[in-house]
Every structure is written in C-alpha cells, then in structure tokens.
Amino acid sequence: MNFNQAKTQFIQTWGTLGSEWGINRSMAQVHALLLISPEPLSTENVMEELSISRGNANMNLRDLMNWNLISKVLVPGDRKEYFEAEKDIWEIARRIAKERKKRELEPVLKVLDQLKQADLDKSLKTHQSFLATINDLDDFVGKMDKSVEVMLKADESWFFSTLLKLIK
Amino acid sequence: MNFNQAKTQFIQTWGTLGSEWGINRSMAQVHALLLISPEPLSTENVMEELSISRGNANMNLRDLMNWNLISKVLVPGDRKEYFEAEKDIWEIARRIAKERKKRELEPVLKVLDQLKQADLDKSLKTHQSFLATINDLDDFVGKMDKSVEVMLKADESWFFSTLLKLIK
DNA sequence: CTAAACTTTCAATTATTACTGAAAGTTTAG
DNA sequence: CTAAACTTTCAGTAATAATTGAAAGTTTAG
C-alpha cells in the first residue's frame, strides 16, 4: 500500500467511525485530513483534497472550531485562513468528551431529575417500574458525568495506568 | 407532570440521546419503552404505544435482541412472542460497550495496524506526519479497547469507586 | 393436513440529513 | 474609497436512512 492509498483509507475509515458515533462523515474526514497534515491547510486545500464544495468545507471547518479540535492559523503575507488540528490524541479525546458531556449528558441529567418529580402513584406497578428505571439511570448517568470530569482533570498516563494495571 | 407525560418525555429523550450517539431513534424508543415496562410487551403493544408500523417494530425488536439488550419471553397459553429488557443499567452499559467494541473499535484497530505497514518514505514530512498520527491513534484506540475489557470484567461498584474516589 | 395466528421480509415511500454553488457579506491592499 | 480576495450563508437539490404495509414465510392448534 502506498502513501496515497493509505491516506485515502485513513480518511475513509475515520469518516465511517465518525458517522457510527453520530458525527457527520465530512466533518470527521476534514478532521482526519488535518490530523495527518504537517502544515495548516486552507479551505481550498480541503475542498480539493476531499472533493467537496466550498460551503461544505467552510461549515465543517467552523464546526470543528466549535468543537475546539482545530484552530485558525495566520500565515504572514497571506490573506487566506489556514487551519491546523490539535495533534495530541489525549487532548482531542478530552475536548470531545467535554463537549459531549455538555451537549448530551448534562441535558439528559436535567430531564431525568425533572422526571423524578413527576407525580406518581406508588401503588401502581407501572409507576413503580418507571421510577425505578429513572432512578437507576439518573444514578448511572450521574456517575458517567463524574467520570468524565475525572478524565478532564487527569493526565493521560495516570488515567490509563490506573485503569489498565487492574486488568491483570 | 403526570405519569403519561413523564413516560412520553422519557421515551422522547432517550430517542434523542440515541440518535446523537448513532443509534436509530426508534430502536432507542422501543428500548426505553421496554425499560420502564414492568411486564414483557408484544410486538402489538410496542406498535400501539409508539404508533409505529409492524415492520418497524419487528426490525427494531430484532436489532435490540442482536445487541443483547432485550430477550424473548414465552407466556404460557399464548402464541405471541413477548419481549423484556435487561433492567440492570450497568449490565446494559456492558453489553453496549461489548458490541461497540466488537463492531467499531476492533475494525478500526485492524485498519490502523494495516496502515502502519504502508510503505512510506520517512524522509518526507507528509509521510512522517501521517505515520506519527497513525501510531498515536493506534496506541490510543488500543488503550480504549483495553479499558473496555477492564470494564467488561469489572463490577460496577468497583469500577466507579476506583474512578471516582480519585476526583477529590 | 390446513387454516389461523403469528413473524419476517422488502420494494416503495417518506423523512431526515448533508451538500452544492451562487449570491451576499466581509475584510484589506492599494 | 473601491475592487479584489476571501468567507459565510442558505435555498434548492441530492444522498442517506428510516418507515410503512402488504405479501410471503413460518409455526402450531385442532
């Protein structure tokens, strides 16, 4: 396998993985492209490399900025904007975890807490069962949330070594 | 908020969360419905409760079986099939983690390992950068994979207490 | 065996999500 | 100031994913 094949397959694979995890395929591909690029790339570069439109490239670059996964780079003497990706995988994982916690975990926790307040008749089996599930989930999601906090504060080697040395 | 409102909102919320994580909305809703139901439900029950078609109900119930999240229950004297969900949230999390590991993590690891073999010219910056990213990712995804293994072997209280007591 | 009860399949349709490209908006060099 | 260089927006279109419902398949009671 030569470089271009490998590069294409990497971008492809990352795109597929992304879409399996609810991330827009193109966004994941743009990210992959920037991850392996030694130099910052312009919108045009991205358009060409991935054969996508200007609008698409622009939107996904903007989204990646909102996820804190890439940043703008100014090249002196050039009016174009260039983009480069954070390359530290652990840092990437933390930023993704942070965003998903904020966007998904926290809202769900809020809903679960509200549902606990619903006025139920505890003599009914259906209501009991509902409450039990909600309570269990709230507890679990709360622990997940806290775990992500731990991860956000931790450094990589500590985090994995704590986790992994216990497998033996 | 009364029971039916709470129930509807829970099913709704779970469906939304599911689709944010790459899981079909209906499948997540069927799962939510079964999670809070004190009794096993038939395909007809599911169709009525969620106002979905027979085909849709059947497919999603089958998928949930493939994910090991629900199982068939036989009710004596009844030819219909009934379904009940695993209710232990930690067990649910383990089964989901197990499946996603198998379906998504492992294939990606395999690709990354192949990409490491690509024949590259290490004097080129682009190739160096590619290889560095692939290596870092492979390492990281490998650790994630191992962490899931730890989780699969662990029991809940141990797992979270190990993780959480270190936040202080 | 066979007809009723039930489950599964899948082509056609509908809903959702993503993408394009041209126009509008913004910035800056001169 | 203004025209060129660049970025953003968004209505229309295309691609993808999910759903329906009727027909085909399967099982079992009698």
Side-chain angles (χ1 to χ4, degrees), chain B residues 132-160:
Chain B
T133 301
I134 298 299
N135 281 327
D136 287 357
L137 268 179
D138 190 51
D139 180 62
F140 183 81
V141 178
K143 282 175 179 166
M144 292 290 289
D145 198 60
K146 287 270 180 265
S147 299
V148 173
E149 270 174 37
V150 174
M151 180 206 165
L152 293 180
K153 290 180 182 175
D155 87 18
E156 179 176 10
S157 58
W158 174 83
F159 187 80
F160 280 119

Side-chain angles (χ1 to χ4, degrees), chain A residues 24-26 51-56 60 79:
Chain A
N24 175 314
R25 190 198 268 9
S26 297
S51 309
I52 62 177
S53 71
R54 185 174 300 285
N56 195 5
N60 286 121
R79 280 181 57 187

Side-chain angles (χ1 to χ4, degrees), chain A residues 30 33-34 40-58 61 78-83:
Chain A
V30 173
L33 179 64
L34 287 169
L41 301 179
S42 67
T43 303
E44 302 255 339
N45 294 151
V46 171
M47 289 165 62
E48 281 161 24
E49 292 267 8
L50 302 179
S51 309
I52 62 177
S53 71
R54 185 174 300 285
N56 195 5
N58 180 270
L61 286 166
D78 193 336
R79 280 181 57 187
K80 274 207 207 62
E81 290 177 340
Y82 289 79
F83 301 88

Side-chain angles (χ1 to χ4, degrees), chain B residues 5 31 45 61 66 90 101-103 109 147-148 167:
Chain B
Q5 290 171 324
H31 191 216
N45 294 151
L61 286 167
N66 290 335
W90 175 249
K101 170 170 147 55
K102 188 172 76 192
R103 298 181 189 199
L109 268 181
S147 299
V148 173
I167 200 176

Side-chain angles (χ1 to χ4, degrees), chain B residues 39-50:
Chain B
E39 311 288 352
L41 301 180
S42 67
T43 302
E44 302 256 339
N45 294 151
V46 171
M47 290 166 60
E48 282 162 24
E49 291 268 8
L50 302 177

Side-chain angles (χ1 to χ4, degrees), chain A residues 109-121:
Chain A
L109 268 181
K110 213 173 135 200
V111 171
L112 289 173
D113 285 335
Q114 278 169 13
L115 295 180
K116 282 179 163 184
Q117 314 302 324
D119 82 74
L120 303 178
D121 177 349

Side-chain angles (χ1 to χ4, degrees), chain A residues 116-165:
Chain A
K116 282 179 163 184
Q117 314 302 324
D119 82 74
L120 303 178
D121 177 349
K122 286 172 189 167
S123 70
L124 297 174
K125 238 184 173 181
T126 48
H127 292 207
Q128 281 168 27
S129 177
F130 179 80
L131 206 54
T133 301
I134 297 300
N135 281 329
D136 287 356
L137 268 178
D138 190 51
D139 179 61
F140 184 81
V141 178
K143 282 176 178 167
M144 291 291 290
D145 198 61
K146 288 270 179 264
S147 299
V148 173
E149 270 175 37
V150 174
M151 178 204 166
L152 292 179
K153 291 181 182 173
D155 86 19
E156 179 177 11
S157 57
W158 173 83
F159 186 80
F160 280 119
S161 73
T162 298
L163 217 50
L164 296 182
K165 72 182 158 210

